[in-house]
Amino acid sequence: MSEAENLVVGANGVAVPHFEHSGEGYRSYEVHQRERVGQSTEKINGAQLASADYAANPYPYLQILRENYPCYRDWINNCYWVTGYDDVTSIFTDEANFETRPKLWYYGLQGFGRDLRNEMPVLWAWSKAMDGFAVPVAEQLIAGFGKGEADLARDFAVQYPIVLLGRMLEIPDDELGTFAVRYWRAQRGVLWYPQAQLAGRQALDELVRYFTPKLAAASDQETSVLAAVAAVGGSAADLVTTLLEADHQTLHGALANLWMNLLIEPVNFDHVKQDHMAMKIAYLETLRHSPPVITAERFARHEVERFGRLIPEGGLMRISALAANRDPRIFADGDRFDVDRRDICHREARGQYRADGLPQGIAFGLGRPSRHPAVPEDRPRSLYALTRDTAVAASWTLAQMLPDLRLRDGTTPVARCLRIGETYACWELPVRF
Amino acid sequence: MDALRDFTAELDTDIHSDDPGGDRDFPLMPVGQAVDMGQAPDGTPLLDPRVLHSREFFRNPYPYYRIMRDHYPCFHDKLHNTYYVTRYEDVWRCYFDDEGFNTIPKGSSSGVLGNTQLELSGVEHRRRRNLYGQHLVGRSLDLRVPSIQRLARQMIDDWDDMLDSGYVFDDGRKRIVELGMAFANEFPVRVVCEVLGFPNEARKQFFYWYNSMMSGLGGSALQKQGLEARQSLEDYVQEIVEERRRKPSYLKDEDGNVIGKDIITKLCETRVDGDYLSTEEITSNIALVVAAGGETTRGAIVNMWYLLLQHPEQFAAVCADTENWNRAFHETLRNSSPIGGQPRHNSHDLEMHGVHVPAGSLMQMVDFSANHDDRVFKDPEKFDIFRPDLYSGKLLRSGYSKEGRCSHMAFGVGPHLCPGAWISHQEAVEGSRILQQRLKNVRIVEDRMAKDIDGKSLAPIGIVRVPALWLEFDRP
Ligand code: HEM
């Protein structure tokens, strides 16, 4: 229906939209729970869960939730918090009842473009390009460090995924800076901050304009992501949508937090620089100990009962990887970064969050565990595996090129969110070598 | 990397920003002006959702609602997962459509008040809506007006015995009272207590239940006390209910003539779907009437006096013709209602003013904003009991909008229209008429009142209700 037909002129001469609903019935919430005296939740309130202190260090708040209120009804932020490991994974793997809303939805831009991550040719080109550039990009960034010192968070971890994408998308060096700014803004515009929304919205349009001619002129190389996008009939808006939905947070945050964890206790770094496998375990332990995406949002597709609560249709579940990954029922001494941890699985989990009977550190942003074989023949490996291998390759390169890396004296790096809801990462990691 | 200079510069700013989110200290602005939160290139003001939880907003909400009405009539606050509906017409239409916009368990009221009609929609709501409604309107209310007047007189008479309470004292030829503690807090609760049919001796206890339940609402830190009070009320009500199930009790007028059964007796006799109401459900109904009828009416009375005394010519007009109290009551509710709005959930996916709202989203209907919509009320921030665009007759479920007059939205409209609208009107107006006769040469004791940011003028009401109103008048 057109905008004009959809308007009704109200009694005061004001035009208002006419709301069409299907009339297929509805349900009032006759059957909702009464909270009893023993169920009061005075140990925490919603405002604390959206506070500056929470952004700086969410862990103490999440611990209160996990240890007291398995499904906390937060009236301030209008959501349900789920924080126990098994509860979190049960929601995360339950696509029948809980939906993920794409980043485009948060922008209010349904229909802007198509996410091409289901298109096999795009996935193939993507993974080949990523594998091909993983080490050269790391080498290039490291070569550009200042003399004897650098900030690993800013000069390496944040830049790495963006430069890598730049290479994968055949962006020339002199355009890389502009691309980086636009990409960064587009990602930050997803959330609630109005200036960021505006800048992000603008960046999306600029990216579409930028990629339109590139896509038309795409080569036909097998590893060219642009060519693959063109081959499946994707437009520049589709490409930009795919970039928006694709995860860079995990790669960035995992690198930043991995190096933070390795350098805070130099024995950890000594341990991993000898042994490629140890670097991989350290990466897995980082995803567990300090996951870059600390909470994810899932919406109830329909009324559903969980954890003894009736969750109404549309109810927002805020599920926390950070809280779950330190659940003492699952991981011994969970607050400790244990570079050689034995109670997490070292293989990629399949389908559920466990492999070899051991739990995996939950990492949002990479999708739920893939059901496909670890090394499939007919498709590239999972995003989880691809991100892991890239992060480990980049970190290994760094460790081999600068084996005497150490924190600059007097610094104590921490992880935090720049803004509520954003990546939980170490943003300042000054080092000497 | 060198090519990324611009990017790292932007990143550094972000890293060193001192605003990670969370509560922000927004500056306190002159009333009517919004904090500058930035603009889009086309000049549209931006709205930081955190402002909606700030101190600034609580005292000075209207410029922010205006930004919403004019630029984001369906505002999606992604931080708090809420959509705000702010235009009069939209709020009105959504209230009417209780199928499309259903009511939900509201805040922690689900624990503190229990399951009530507030949370029901459609036929389930209609079956319970009229259980005791007739007590709050029409002839049985008219017959009770003298009792309401008696309660008001009694409370004022009691002031002589409250001279050491801290809320009433004499200063030379003047008497000073805090209208809330001395009158408005308890008066509506006493009225409600009577209509419900609570024994007189339960009154003090009743006030405790009321206070604790009220402060335990809405996910507050005092929820536990609220839940305890609710439990204690339920334990007490249980006995009364058992008694009334055996032996009904009646409301009488001042001369002892029976008006009808009291509300609790009514509830005991009521069947819904063939079943008698459980004690639990009866308690919830009682809790609802108490909660819905106390603080609200208190706010209306105190706000009304605060506003009138700041507009002496309008106060003179109500003294000259006490019919004008009706106008003052409605204009107070329009200008500064004690209730901000009501939550609804949309039952179906919808598109409102270009915003896609998935089914089941929380859509906050902002009565405050509807009441200040200048598409309906001219110069809305102005308090004017004689404004020509406000209807101030008896409230109708369908709302009122005729001949250039519209009803305010403070009681809602549609199926959930406040059933207490008429009784609260009587309490506020009758109570005020009696106060007006007794308080000779009344004025606000400015020294004792909260001030605005200039340190001189009286604090605006905003969306918080006047916490305390100190009055002085000639000693009786
Ligand atoms: C100035 C005073 C009052 C104001 C501003 C007020 C406001 C409101 C509003 C806005 C609603 C609608 C809720 C919704 O749409 O979901 C409501 C409902 C209600 N009010 Fe009041 N109210 C006042 C006084 C009273 C009094 C004195 C009583 C009882 C003696 C009362 C009893 C109720 C009840 C039982 C409901 C629920 C109706 C339903 O959901 O069907 N209110 N009130």
Side-chain angles (χ1 to χ4, degrees):
Chain A
M1 208 188 278
S2 79
E3 177 82 344
E5 283 171 81
N6 217 0
L7 289 178
V8 180
V9 176
N12 292 290
V14 182
V16 291
H18 177 67
F19 310 123
E20 281 294 351
H21 42 75
S22 62
E24 69 215 357
Y26 65 98
R27 172 142 164 18
S28 70
Y29 293 92
E30 190 179 14
V31 201
H32 70 270
Q33 285 115 322
R34 254 198 64 192
E35 284 155 18
R36 302 284 165 176
V37 177
Q39 296 169 328
S40 58
T41 51
E42 66 277 3
K43 291 192 173 119
I44 199 159
N45 71 57
Q48 292 172 295
L49 295 165
S51 64
D53 286 347
Y54 174 84
N57 181 12
Y59 189 64
Y61 300 104
L62 294 172
Q63 185 177 17
I64 294 177
L65 291 181
R66 191 190 60 220
E67 297 309 317
N68 297 283
Y69 313 122
C71 180
Y72 173 68
R73 179 62 169 110
D74 173 348
W75 295 104
I76 304 279
N77 304 299
N78 186 31
C79 63
Y80 300 83
W81 290 81
V82 179
T83 42
Y85 185 91
D86 288 330
D87 297 341
V88 166
T89 55
S90 81
I91 299 279
F92 213 54
T93 51
D94 183 358
E95 283 165 13
N97 289 309
F98 299 98
E99 67 178 5
T100 311
R101 293 194 182 149
K103 291 185 188 161
L104 276 188
W105 177 79
Y106 289 88
Y107 264 116
L109 283 178
Q110 290 85 339
F112 179 85
R114 198 155 56 97
D115 181 355
L116 301 173
R117 285 176 308 162
N118 295 321
E119 299 284 352
M120 213 47 79
V122 176
L123 284 184
W124 273 118
W126 189 280
S127 70
K128 285 187 180 146
M130 206 159 161
D131 283 341
F133 288 114
V135 172
V137 167
E139 288 170 347
Q140 194 191 359
L141 287 179
I142 297 162
F145 286 176
K147 227 179 161 36
E149 59 180 22
D151 181 338
L152 280 191
R154 175 178 167 282
D155 304 334
F156 187 69
V158 185
Q159 294 190 24
Y160 181 81
I162 301 185
V163 176
L164 182 61
L165 269 180
R167 290 283 174 264
M168 292 162 64
L169 297 168
E170 302 161 46
I171 295 172
D173 265 5
D174 59 340
E175 292 167 15
L176 206 51
T178 326
F179 169 74
V181 169
R182 289 170 178 165
Y183 179 79
W184 173 250
R185 289 184 182 166
Q187 291 291 355
R188 290 197 92 195
V190 170
L191 291 167
W192 54 274
Y193 192 65
Q195 268 89 355
Q197 287 169 356
L198 194 71
R201 180 71 191 80
Q202 225 170 337
L204 288 175
D205 288 339
E206 288 164 358
L207 284 170
V208 171
R209 277 199 295 279
Y210 174 76
F211 279 113
T212 305
K214 302 253 168 207
L215 212 50
S219 70
D220 52 3
Q221 274 181 12
E222 199 199 358
T223 53
S224 166
V225 175
L226 291 179
V229 168
V232 301
S235 65
D238 297 341
L239 173 62
V240 172
T241 302
T242 311
L243 288 179
L244 177 69
E245 304 292 348
D247 177 70
H248 84 295
Q249 277 174 299
T250 307
L251 187 50
H252 151 227
L255 284 174
N257 297 350
L258 169 63
W259 282 95
M260 173 184 76
N261 291 331
L262 289 178
L263 296 179
I264 284 181
E265 284 190 54
V267 287
N268 286 337
F269 183 43
D270 291 342
H271 176 76
V272 300
K273 71 184 167 198
Q274 323 286 349
D275 178 357
H276 193 272
M277 184 65 182
M279 182 66 92
K280 176 180 147 189
I281 296 175
Y283 164 85
L284 296 176
E285 169 68 349
T286 295
L287 285 193
R288 182 202 69 78
H289 177 271
S290 17
V293 185
I294 52 180
T295 60
E297 302 192 337
R298 292 290 181 273
F299 293 85
R301 290 181 195 272
H302 35 245
E303 191 176 76
V304 53
E305 191 162 349
R306 275 300 144 88
F307 319 117
R309 270 188 186 282
L310 195 65
I311 315 278
E313 176 186 9
L316 168 58
M317 314 299 288
R318 195 158 270 152
I319 45 188
S320 172
L322 184 60
N325 283 347
R326 297 190 187 192
D327 188 338
R329 296 154 201 84
I330 304 293
F331 298 107
D333 199 4
D335 287 343
R336 201 164 77 86
F337 177 78
D338 179 355
V339 73
D340 194 24
R341 182 172 283 276
R342 295 283 127 179
D343 59 0
I344 54 171
C345 59
H346 294 171
R347 288 196 302 136
E348 183 183 354
R350 314 258 105 218
Q352 301 295 325
Y353 276 86
R354 285 172 204 260
D356 303 326
L358 290 169
Q360 169 186 293
I362 301 166
F364 295 137
L366 301 176
R368 54 179 292 193
S370 156
R371 286 193 208 85
H372 302 284
V375 188
E377 284 171 2
D378 54 338
R379 56 185 297 127
R381 42 203 212 291
S382 69
L383 190 57
Y384 177 88
L386 201 56
T387 308
R388 177 198 61 205
D389 295 349
T390 307
V392 173
S395 297
W396 184 250
T397 308
L398 179 58
Q400 302 313 302
M401 284 175 74
L402 305 176
D404 63 340
L405 267 181
R406 62 205 175 273
L407 281 182
R408 193 190 309 147
D409 290 343
T411 49
T412 336
V414 288
R416 65 190 169 100
C417 307
L418 290 187
R419 210 173 273 142
I420 291 194
E422 292 191 326
T423 312
Y424 177 70
C426 171
W427 296 94
E428 289 165 285
L429 192 56
V431 293
R432 289 185 185 285
F433 47 85
Chain B
M1 203 178 143
D2 229 26
L4 295 189
R5 237 172 337 200
D6 289 350
F7 170 66
T8 35
E10 181 157 331
L11 181 66
D12 284 342
T13 324
D14 293 338
I15 290 176
H16 298 296
S17 150
D18 54 2
D19 178 18
D23 301 338
R24 207 186 111 188
D25 264 339
F26 290 89
L28 302 184
M29 300 296 288
V31 170
Q33 280 176 41
V35 177
D36 181 3
M37 293 170 280
Q39 289 183 345
D42 65 1
T44 307
L46 300 181
L47 191 65
D48 184 332
R50 290 174 298 168
V51 84
L52 304 175
H53 290 244
S54 70
R55 200 157 77 84
E56 154 67 0
F57 182 75
F58 278 68
R59 56 177 279 283
N60 179 32
Y62 297 110
Y64 304 95
Y65 285 139
R66 183 185 292 273
I67 293 177
M68 283 199 217
R69 285 192 306 272
D70 290 349
H71 302 284
Y72 311 97
C74 178
F75 177 66
H76 185 186
D77 170 353
K78 293 176 195 159
L79 188 58
H80 303 102
N81 188 30
T82 305
Y83 296 80
Y84 289 89
V85 180
T86 44
R87 289 191 187 163
Y88 185 98
E89 289 270 357
D90 294 343
V91 171
W92 191 86
R93 290 168 60 80
C94 294
Y95 275 151
F96 261 97
D97 182 0
D98 80 328
E99 200 172 306
F101 299 87
N102 63 66
T103 51
I104 55 157
K106 296 183 178 178
S108 292
S109 75
S110 50
V112 176
L113 301 183
N115 293 341
T116 70
Q117 55 179 308
L118 269 179
E119 282 109 21
L120 300 175
S121 291
V123 78
E124 288 144 340
H125 174 254
R126 284 195 287 283
R127 280 185 192 144
R128 286 168 180 79
R129 163 84 187 181
N130 287 325
L131 299 184
Y132 50 83
Q134 77 264 36
H135 277 300
L136 306 175
V137 292
R139 203 180 86 87
S140 54
L141 176 61
D142 293 344
L143 291 171
R144 289 197 39 77
V145 168
S147 315
I148 293 176
Q149 292 165 336
R150 168 181 44 82
L151 283 170
R153 274 193 218 100
Q154 265 171 12
M155 289 199 68
I156 300 172
D157 290 342
D158 285 350
W159 288 353
D160 289 333
D161 304 329
M162 287 172 70
L163 288 169
D164 53 3
S165 65
Y167 306 112
V168 180
F169 52 85
D170 290 339
D171 183 6
R173 290 157 177 240
K174 294 285 181 194
R175 172 161 287 180
I176 295 176
V177 299
E178 198 283 283
L179 190 68
M181 293 304 281
F183 184 80
N185 293 12
E186 216 174 315
F187 173 58
V189 180
R190 285 200 195 176
V191 173
V192 165
C193 201
E194 272 201 11
V195 217
L196 280 168
F198 265 73
N200 229 344
E201 62 276 10
R203 222 177 53 203
K204 274 271 158 309
Q205 185 67 5
F206 201 83
F207 204 57
Y208 147 74
W209 289 319
Y210 163 72
N211 275 330
S212 308
M213 290 197 303
M214 288 310 291
S215 27
L217 293 180
S220 113
L222 301 174
Q223 188 211 15
K224 186 168 187 187
Q225 281 98 300
L227 292 176
E228 281 163 0
R230 150 83 201 205
Q231 190 57 52
S232 150
L233 173 68
E234 191 161 332
D235 294 344
Y236 178 80
V237 168
Q238 182 133 17
E239 288 171 30
I240 300 197
V241 167
E242 276 158 25
E243 201 181 298
R244 300 286 154 86
R245 287 201 206 272
R246 284 192 305 271
K247 185 163 162 286
S249 76
Y250 295 85
L251 274 178
K252 300 187 179 134
D253 67 15
E254 294 298 282
D255 302 328
N257 303 314
V258 170
I259 300 176
K261 289 175 182 153
D262 61 39
I263 291 185
I264 298 183
T265 305
K266 276 269 175 208
L267 290 170
C268 291
E269 291 178 348
T270 302
R271 289 173 187 237
V272 172
D273 296 343
D275 269 339
Y276 289 109
L277 297 185
S278 62
T279 308
E280 151 119 22
E281 192 165 356
I282 293 177
T283 316
S284 299
N285 271 292
I286 294 172
L288 172 64
V289 175
V290 174
E295 183 64 19
T296 48
T297 311
R298 174 216 180 265
I301 295 174
V302 176
N303 288 1
M304 178 159 70
W305 278 81
Y306 190 59
L307 287 167
L308 278 175
L309 291 175
Q310 288 181 74
H311 295 85
E313 65 308 331
Q314 299 188 40
F315 186 60
V318 294
C319 294
D321 177 357
T322 58
E323 280 307 303
N324 285 333
W325 279 105
N326 297 318
R327 293 171 182 274
F329 177 70
H330 285 298
E331 173 62 356
T332 298
L333 289 182
R334 187 204 63 80
N335 183 279
S336 298
S337 157
I339 299 194
Q342 299 296 328
R344 295 290 191 262
H345 274 184
N346 53 322
S347 308
H348 312 283
D349 282 11
L350 63 86
E351 184 107 0
M352 193 189 271
H353 296 293
V355 178
H356 169 78
V357 190
S361 301
L362 170 61
M363 301 186 74
Q364 190 66 42
M365 304 293 145
V366 188
D367 301 350
F368 275 138
S369 173
N371 282 338
H372 283 246
D373 187 347
D374 55 9
R375 290 157 191 78
V376 176
F377 300 112
K378 188 162 164 274
D379 203 358
E381 266 71 85
K382 192 168 141 201
F383 177 77
D384 175 8
I385 65 172
F386 296 110
R387 64 168 51 246
D389 44 17
L390 177 68
Y391 167 70
S392 43
K394 179 171 160 23
L395 281 211
L396 306 171
R397 203 180 275 205
S398 57
Y400 178 93
S401 140
K402 253 194 267 181
E403 297 147 13
R405 287 180 186 269
C406 290
S407 54
H408 58 72
M409 201 61 75
F411 290 118
V413 283
H416 288 271
L417 171 82
C418 175
W422 200 229
I423 193 169
S424 68
H425 184 156
Q426 292 299 349
E427 290 170 34
V429 166
E430 292 301 335
S432 293
R433 284 180 182 144
I434 292 168
L435 284 168
Q436 169 213 326
Q437 288 160 12
R438 300 278 196 100
L439 313 189
K440 299 273 187 273
N441 293 320
V442 60
R443 57 176 205 89
I444 296 175
V445 190
E446 301 212 352
D447 294 351
R448 294 182 158 261
M449 298 294 298
K451 297 292 183 319
D452 199 10
I453 46 175
D454 61 8
K456 290 200 291 278
S457 39
L458 291 173
I461 298 181
I463 56 178
V464 283
R465 289 164 231 166
V466 181
L469 177 55
W470 289 95
L471 299 179
E472 109 184 344
F473 51 93
D474 296 348
R475 205 165 145 176

